[in-house]
Amino acid sequence: MRRERGPDDSGGQGPARDAMPAVDTRLLVREEGIKGYLGEFRRKLRSGELGSIPVVLAVIIIWTVFGSLNSTFLSAQNLSDLSQQIVGTGMIAVGIVFVLLLGEIDLSVGSVSGLCAAIFAVLNVLNGMNEWLALLLAIGGGAAVGLIQGFFFARVGVPAFVVTLAGNLAWNGLMLQILGASGTVNIPSESIVAKLYSTIFGSPAASYMTAAAGVGLFLASSLLDAARRRAAGVPFRPIAEIALRTIVLAAIAFTTAYILNQYQGLPLALLIFLILLVVVDFILRRTTYGRQIFAVGGNIEGARRAGISVPLIRMSVFSIAGTMAAVGGLFLAGQIQSASQTSGGGNLLMNVIAAAVIGGTSLFGGRGSVWSALLGALVIGSIQSGMNIMGVSNAIQFMITGAVLLAAVVVDSLSRRSQKAAGRA
């Protein structure tokens, strides 16, 4: 028997009478004020969405422990030196973050960094090439190396682990071949690579103006983003939340500027690193290309069905990792003012991977931020600096750094398991 349509029947043209209206949970959180934010914080803890909380707590604990054991650790000189020492490792870790977002790994970045430093030193110092041209060729070499490895991974189908492990050996051999019999090329202190690391802006105004510019840029971008989202009719951050975030950032930025000014001032290497992080973060979070990287890392089949060229994204990401390895290698060469057979060796590879993972980038792909390279490098650098001050042997340092890396991976694994249980991964 056919039933007559009643006044409450939607007929597929509108919501049923008993249907619950769709409400964005973020709006509820903001409407409830402090109570809503505390509830949201507890929900994130239960579901494993820890963000940068563990690494920030780790930095606080490490600084508190080493500061209580030796007052030299928290001195302005040591913290200023630490801000420079983490730049080379952090630069390479930025490239590793890109690769980890795909759920892959690059084991060749250490060798690539040494190779590119050797290319610059041989071209500029031994052959007299213009230093800017030698610099561009060295960075271009890193991009080309990454593109080659990305091709074998994305187009040929060789696992990234195997490709980059082979590259680790091959590029190290090429570096030794380029350096020749002497094995070491000293870089003059007046070279651009050496100046990138050694230049420090001594005027206090440089540090404070940089802090003010960073805070102002953050405030302006937050207000513009809120206005854009309000105009589009989607949830946006209220003014009070933007103001609170700006105040916290300002406290960190101006405190850092004050500490740097207590020693020599603002290091150029740190300034370049921070600018690079802002630019790369914008590319990852605000551009179509960045969203495609997250899409490929989160669900490769879904990304392919959405029309994303997965091989192209993969090749470009490995090229970026090679480029950042070259840039980081040049900063490291500028730090010691030489390129030698040991460049890119030692525990560099472990440190850059540890920095990316400890900073919060997931080994399983699809989750992370380039700022994790800064936080992770800060954790690794702080541990090493503190243990050097305490006179701890290298053997103990390796074991402690390895334990910290394992702890970060365990946290990442547990976080992913919690998110799966909560249906958010």
Side-chain angles (χ1 to χ4, degrees), residues 211-228:
V215 173
L217 182 63
F218 175 81
L219 177 60
S221 63
S222 298
L223 292 175
L224 288 175
D225 182 65
R228 181 179 59 82

Side-chain angles (χ1 to χ4, degrees), residues 11-24:
Q13 301 301 316
R17 184 177 60 181
D18 298 334
M20 295 294 292
V23 178
D24 193 309

Side-chain angles (χ1 to χ4, degrees), residues 142-307:
V145 165
L147 194 61
I148 292 171
Q149 295 184 150
F151 172 80
F152 280 100
F153 167 59
R155 293 293 186 186
V156 181
V158 182
F161 174 83
V162 178
V163 173
T164 55
L165 182 61
N168 182 43
L169 296 174
W171 307 128
N172 187 56
L174 181 58
M175 179 192 71
L176 298 178
Q177 182 69 29
I178 290 176
L179 287 174
S182 64
T184 301
V185 179
N186 294 321
I187 299 175
S189 59
E190 63 271 15
S191 169
I192 183 175
V193 169
K195 288 182 178 178
L196 279 175
Y197 189 85
S198 61
T199 301
I200 296 177
F201 301 108
S203 172
S207 299
Y208 291 127
M209 288 178 65
T210 301
V215 173
L217 182 63
F218 175 81
L219 177 60
S221 63
S222 298
L223 292 175
L224 288 175
D225 182 65
R228 181 179 59 82
R229 295 179 68 86
R230 184 191 296 114
V234 295
F236 58 91
R237 295 188 192 281
I239 296 298
E241 184 177 338
I242 293 175
L244 179 61
R245 287 169 173 260
T246 305
I247 291 172
V248 172
L249 177 63
I252 297 173
F254 282 97
T255 301
T256 304
Y258 173 79
I259 293 173
L260 293 175
N261 285 335
Q262 297 307 301
Y263 183 50
Q264 291 181 323
L266 176 65
L268 175 61
L270 178 62
L271 178 61
I272 294 175
F273 186 35
L274 294 177
I275 292 174
L276 176 83
L277 288 176
V278 171
V279 173
V280 175
D281 180 63
F282 177 83
I283 293 173
L284 269 181
R285 295 195 303 116
R286 301 295 184 188
T287 66
T288 302
Y289 174 70
R291 287 189 284 270
Q292 288 178 342
I293 293 175
F294 280 103
V296 172
N299 187 333
I300 187 171
E301 187 56 35
R304 188 177 286 112
R305 290 175 183 271

